[in-house]
Amino acid sequence: MMDRNLKLAVISVLMEKGLYTFDDAPFAKIGDLTKRMTKVLDYFDKLELSEEQLAAVDEINPDGGDLVYQSVFGGGEGNNIFRDNLKKLKIRSLEGIGACKNLKTLKLDDEFSRKNLKIAPLGELAELEVVDIDVAFTELEALLSCRKLKKASMGGGLTDEEQAVVDELLKRGVEVWVDSRRQPNPS
């Protein structure tokens, strides 16, 4: 089962690619933003995505201007209610991301994902090339399973075990950035 907020990011990619169209008509007359948000989120929770749709997702990079968030809130980007409620839609888990079998790029920042995000599910992504996670996370060793990985960017404060993973990635020729600094390749 995919985390609701990860699913929203996936739906947004499909919307932007023209592979899913949201019919706003049943929700357009709900004037109260909280009620609208609840009803639209319930609708998206029940939405079944096909294997073909999931396979079409090659990049996930959530942003407040994404179509799915505009659909949830009925527009309103930039106002306080929008920003406050957008915080409730942070990705809590990457479970189920393996269904996006052609995912090549994943970018997450603290606005769209929770701290201490477990990234082990990324190990299921055979096509993953770029990971840019700007929040605290765990299970960095999952990136060692991503054989096509070309670039990994992350925040700092690495443990010895995480540094060993970074060193292994560097040996494989992966470009690694920690705290916005490119890590030197081992000599």
Side-chain angles (χ1 to χ4, degrees):
M1 179 123 183
M2 187 177 285
D3 172 71
R4 169 201 272 175
N5 301 334
L6 176 59
K7 185 177 180 182
L8 289 174
V10 168
I11 291 168
S12 193
V13 171
L14 296 173
M15 292 171 85
E16 291 167 19
K17 288 180 170 247
L19 299 173
Y20 173 75
T21 303
F22 175 68
D23 180 9
D24 189 58
F27 308 100
K29 294 183 180 175
I30 302 173
D32 179 83
L33 181 61
T34 303
K35 285 181 184 175
R36 178 194 169 86
M37 186 174 105
T38 300
K39 294 217 181 269
V40 174
L41 288 174
D42 287 345
Y43 172 83
F44 283 136
D45 281 345
K46 294 172 185 159
L47 182 66
E48 295 288 328
L49 299 175
S50 70
E51 284 185 36
E52 293 81 20
Q53 286 173 312
L54 293 167
V57 176
D58 58 355
E59 179 174 352
I60 296 176
N61 184 10
D63 178 274
D66 288 351
L67 293 174
V68 75
Y69 303 115
Q70 298 303 312
S71 298
V72 168
F73 299 114
E77 179 183 5
N79 70 43
N80 289 340
I81 295 171
F82 180 90
R83 282 192 302 273
D84 291 345
N85 282 293
L86 190 60
K87 292 176 187 177
K88 297 175 185 174
L89 301 179
K90 288 186 176 191
I91 295 170
R92 297 179 304 261
S93 169
L94 293 176
E95 289 298 321
I97 200 167
C100 301
K101 62 185 180 185
N102 293 314
L103 188 67
K104 292 183 179 174
T105 302
L106 175 66
K107 296 182 180 182
L108 298 174
D109 63 25
D110 64 350
E111 187 174 358
F112 287 94
S113 58
R114 301 258 167 113
K115 295 183 182 342
N116 299 318
L117 192 65
K118 293 180 180 182
I119 66 167
L122 298 184
E124 301 172 35
L125 299 169
E127 302 300 318
L128 192 63
E129 295 177 1
V130 177
V131 175
D132 185 351
I133 301 178
D134 191 26
V135 293
F137 57 88
T138 62
E139 304 169 338
L140 183 63
E141 63 277 3
L143 297 183
L144 296 174
S145 298
C146 303
R147 296 294 178 191
K148 292 188 177 182
L149 193 64
K150 295 177 183 175
K151 181 178 180 183
S153 180
M154 62 201 79
L158 301 178
T159 65
D160 290 342
E161 293 84 15
E162 291 169 334
Q163 186 60 53
V165 171
V166 166
D167 292 343
E168 178 61 29
L169 291 172
L170 289 167
K171 286 179 192 172
R172 293 181 184 181
V174 176
E175 181 182 322
V176 180
W177 292 73
V178 178
D179 278 341
S180 302
R181 290 187 301 256
R182 186 172 181 173
Q183 300 301 292
N185 285 331
S187 303

